[in-house]
Amino acid sequence: MLALKYLLMTGGVAMMVAAVGILTYDLYREMSYRRTLETPGGAPGAATVGVRWRTSLALAMLAWGPLLFAFSIVVVPSGMAGVRVSQMSGTVPGTLYPGAHMVMPLVEDVALFDTRDQIFTTGASEDGKKAAKNVTKTELLDVQAKEGLTLGLAITVRYRLDAKRLDYIHGNLPHPVEREIVPPTVASVWREIVPNYTVRDVFSAKREEVRERAAVLITQKLAADGIVVKEVMLRDIQLPPQYAEGLETLLLKEQENDRMGIETELKNKEVRIAELEAEAMKARQVKMAEGEARVRVLRAKSEADAMQYTLPLKQKQIEQSRLEAQARKEATIQNAEGDAQAKVIDSKAEGERRKVLAEAEADRIRVTAVADAERLHSEAAILKDNPLLINKIVAERLSDKLQIMMVPADGKFFFANDVLRGMNLANQSAQTEQQPR
């Protein structure tokens, strides 16, 4: 919509410029023609040059159309609000919020107001920077306390204009409101409330109460004028120099008094703690003594009870020992009888074993003799059939290193024939000597 407004204004101005240009051009041609006529030797028969008055006037009248339409478009920026102001009837009820609005051109105008939060503050700012555009800043607000002493208050009021009552603000309040209404109202409220309190109350004891009362009263008064108060802050209080020194001394004394009171209370608590500890120690000792006495009594009772049960147990142990000795004696006798019987049985078994061994040995000898007889009989038969085996057996028994080789007895040109013959002769002579003489 804003672009359309500027486009219409540009078109209207262009048409006005075109009308003026046409008129200027035609007047220039008319003047040039007249100078030509007045010059000697000019062309008196030339046609006259006419000025296009109607064309210029028509363009000028047409130019007012887009201009008036552009003037009827009003754009309210963001964060602002406006009211219509008529040249005939004054302020028109109603609020124009951010956006494009239509008004009667050349009859109505729009008064704009900032509806964002604004700040009214007294004294130096906390960060020391320059005040912003929507911040109204003054010196410390001087007020008198109940004693007549002057205090410097650093206060801050955050407020905004009520958009629904901008027609009332524009028609009834002086402008600008942030300078003509807010500062006097805030100052009058504080100067009305603070004289009801002492400096000490305002500075420390009832500081929050004073701030709350001032905030309520400021809100009520400014609300009647269409101003919404959001917050009232009491940032700092500047005391008179003499009172500040006296208050500092008094505060130091009060702090010293409080410190001594706290130390006294701590000492009393320490004494009380010591008393309680002593009483607790005494109670613990009494309880320990009573406990030890009870333990001794219980121990004596348990020993007496134990003795009542110990004597029968001792008697039972003695009886058991006697029975065990008698059992061991009987067991010894039985073991001796058993050993004797075992020895008799062992001797009988040994005799029978020896008898069986003798019989087995006799059988073995008998069988061995029979086997030897049979062996000798077989050997005699073999030797009778093979007399040379005698020589072989003799040679084997003479030495285990001799190698035996069987050769025919009648072999010729054999070096062992003489040896064998000598052996045969030796055997025959030996057998002859063994025969009984």
Side-chain angles (χ1 to χ4, degrees), residues 37 51 68 92 101 103 143 184 206 226 274 277 343 348 357 376:
L37 292 177
V51 180
L68 291 176
V92 178
H101 302 274
V103 299
V143 295
K206 299 182 180 180
E277 289 179 351
K343 289 180 180 179
K348 290 181 178 182
L357 292 175
L376 292 174

Side-chain angles (χ1 to χ4, degrees), residues 282-355:
K282 182 178 178 181
R284 283 198 297 269
Q285 291 177 356
V286 171
K287 293 292 183 182
M288 291 176 63
E290 292 178 355
E292 292 177 355
R294 292 177 181 175
V295 169
R296 292 194 185 96
V297 172
L298 293 175
R299 188 177 297 169
K301 290 182 179 180
S302 63
E303 290 178 356
D305 296 337
M307 290 298 294
Q308 293 179 0
Y309 293 101
T310 302
L311 292 177
L313 289 175
K314 291 293 185 183
Q315 292 177 358
K316 290 181 179 181
Q317 289 178 358
I318 294 170
E319 184 67 20
Q320 185 178 1
S321 300
R322 186 177 63 78
L323 293 175
E324 289 178 354
Q326 187 176 357
R328 284 195 298 271
K329 182 178 179 182
E330 293 177 357
T332 303
I333 294 172
Q334 291 178 358
N335 292 331
E337 292 177 354
D339 292 340
Q341 292 178 0
K343 289 180 180 179
V344 171
I345 293 170
D346 290 341
S347 62
K348 290 181 178 182
E350 183 66 22
E352 292 179 357
R353 186 180 67 81
R354 290 178 180 179
K355 184 179 179 180

Side-chain angles (χ1 to χ4, degrees), residues 2 30 73 102 112 123 137 148 164 174 181 260 276 319 383:
L2 191 61
E30 181 66 25
I73 298 175
M102 302 297 295
L112 297 177
K137 182 178 176 183
K164 297 179 180 180
I181 299 297
M260 293 179 66
L276 294 175
E319 184 67 20
L383 292 174

Side-chain angles (χ1 to χ4, degrees), residues 121-174:
T121 183
T122 64
S125 59
E126 300 296 335
D127 54 3
K129 296 181 180 180
K130 187 178 179 181
K133 183 177 180 180
N134 59 346
V135 177
T136 303
K137 182 178 176 183
T138 61
E139 298 298 330
L140 287 173
L141 179 61
D142 294 332
V143 295
Q144 287 187 348
K146 194 172 184 179
E147 301 91 342
L149 298 175
T150 302
L151 302 176
L153 303 181
I155 61 177
T156 298
V157 179
R158 188 162 67 95
Y159 66 94
R160 65 176 179 82
L161 300 180
D162 189 357
K164 297 179 180 180
R165 301 186 62 188
L166 290 180
D167 50 356
Y168 172 80
I169 294 173
H170 184 271
N172 298 279
L173 299 182

Side-chain angles (χ1 to χ4, degrees), residues 71-72 74 83-92 96 102-111:
F71 292 153
S72 66
V74 177
V83 292
R84 292 185 179 91
V85 180
S86 176
Q87 303 296 329
M88 297 180 291
S89 59
T91 303
V92 178
L96 301 179
M102 302 297 295
V103 299
M104 294 180 63
L106 305 180
V107 177
E108 292 182 350
D109 193 10
V110 176

